[in-house]
């Protein structure tokens, strides 16, 4: 049964992002990773099992999602992975006091267009504090009308498309779902755009 907030279901985007992490597992030990909108935390758990220093986060307004993060850590023998309440678009003490990070993870966070700018505001804040960090994100193509291109430009961010076949995630058993409908999954890496003259 799907939870009304969708934070207790492993969506295909999470499986694809976890596959990307597994394909890059040799680069993960020692990396400082933050997963946003983590829900059941599959990508963050995979990163932690591969040796990354992971922090899981979901909205402070969704205690059941934060509990989902904690449960995933316990089931996967990762009791020391911190779980934080971070709400997109809100500057909180938790956000301000985050330790430096190298990679931000987000699977299927671009779900509801009303959240897109809050997500990118938070990503921009984190990348400004950590200019060499990247946001690794997978998303399901749900509507041709939904785009973050204008918001990326507004927030001085750039995206690089990552083909699923480049990390073995183009297989139907990975990027599909038992849910009805079409499930085209895409991946991109978002980083700060270079400013003029740098």
């Amino acid at each position: 049964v799907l939870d009304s907030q969708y934070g207790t279901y492993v969506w295909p985007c999470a499986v694809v992002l976890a596959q990307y992490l597994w394909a890059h597992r040799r680069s993960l030990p020692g990396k400082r990773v933050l997963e946003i909108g983590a829900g059941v935390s599959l990508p963050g758990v995979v990163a932690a099992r591969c040796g990354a220093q992971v922090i899981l986060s979901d909205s402070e307004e969704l205690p059941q999602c934060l509990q989902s993060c904690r449960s995933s850590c316990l089931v996967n023998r990762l009791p020391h992975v911190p779980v934080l309440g971070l709400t997109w678009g809100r500057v909180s003490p938790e956000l301000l006091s985050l330790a430096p990070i190298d990679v931000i993870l987000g699977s299927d966070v671009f779900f509801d267009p009303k959240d897109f700018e809050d997500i990118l505001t938070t990503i921009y804040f984190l990348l400004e504090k950590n200019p060499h960090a990247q946001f690794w994100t997978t998303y399901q193509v749900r509507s041709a009308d939904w785009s973050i291109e204008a918001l990326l430009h507004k927030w001085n961010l750039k995206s690089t498309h990552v083909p699923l076949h480049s990390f073995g995630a183009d297989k139907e058993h990975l990027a599909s779902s038992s849910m009805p409908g079409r499930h085209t999954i895409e991946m991109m890496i978002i980083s700060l755009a270079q400013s003029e003259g740098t």
Side-chain angles (χ1 to χ4, degrees):
V1 176
L2 292 183
D3 183 87
S4 62
Q5 298 295 333
Y6 303 110
T8 58
Y9 183 81
V10 179
W11 293 93
C13 286
V15 178
V16 171
L17 187 54
Q19 174 71 15
Y20 184 79
L21 289 157
W22 181 249
H24 293 85
R25 62 191 175 275
R26 286 179 186 82
S27 70
L28 291 174
K31 284 267 195 297
R32 298 158 305 185
V33 174
L34 169 70
E35 184 175 3
I36 64 166
V40 294
S41 319
L42 178 63
V45 164
V46 170
R49 298 290 293 176
C50 291
Q53 301 168 31
V54 174
I55 298 171
L56 300 175
S57 73
D58 212 312
S59 172
E60 58 197 329
E61 298 165 1
L62 300 174
Q64 74 275 25
C65 291
L66 294 171
Q67 187 51 49
S68 231
C69 294
R70 291 183 194 97
S71 297
S72 291
C73 290
L74 292 175
V75 166
N76 289 282
R77 298 183 304 280
L78 298 166
H80 303 298
V81 170
V83 175
L84 295 179
L86 295 178
T87 302
W88 302 328
R90 184 179 300 164
V91 177
S92 64
E94 290 79 11
L95 184 65
L96 291 170
S97 63
L98 271 177
I101 50 177
D102 301 304
V103 177
I104 306 157
L105 302 175
S107 69
D108 217 4
V109 294
F110 294 109
F111 176 81
D112 189 338
K114 74 175 174 48
D115 295 327
F116 290 3
E117 185 149 27
D118 285 343
I119 294 164
L120 289 175
T121 302
T122 300
I123 295 303
Y124 176 78
F125 177 85
L126 291 167
L127 293 178
E128 276 284 298
K129 278 183 67 173
N130 304 275
H132 300 292
Q134 295 180 327
F135 177 37
W136 298 355
T137 185
T138 50
Y139 60 97
Q140 183 175 323
V141 179
R142 291 184 170 89
S143 169
D145 299 334
W146 296 2
S147 173
I148 63 168
E149 288 304 316
L151 290 171
L152 289 173
H153 181 74
K154 176 180 177 178
W155 288 101
N156 196 36
L157 299 169
K158 66 177 181 180
S159 69
T160 304
H161 179 260
V162 180
L164 268 53
H165 68 82
S166 70
F167 57 98
D170 54 338
K171 314 292 185 280
E172 180 140 347
H173 71 280
L174 280 176
S176 66
S177 168
S178 58
M179 301 292 289
R182 215 168 122 260
H183 300 279
T184 302
I185 308 295
E186 300 285 348
M187 178 168 178
M188 64 181 156
I189 293 176
I190 295 176
S191 56
L192 286 177
Q194 295 299 316
S195 55
E196 298 289 324
T198 59

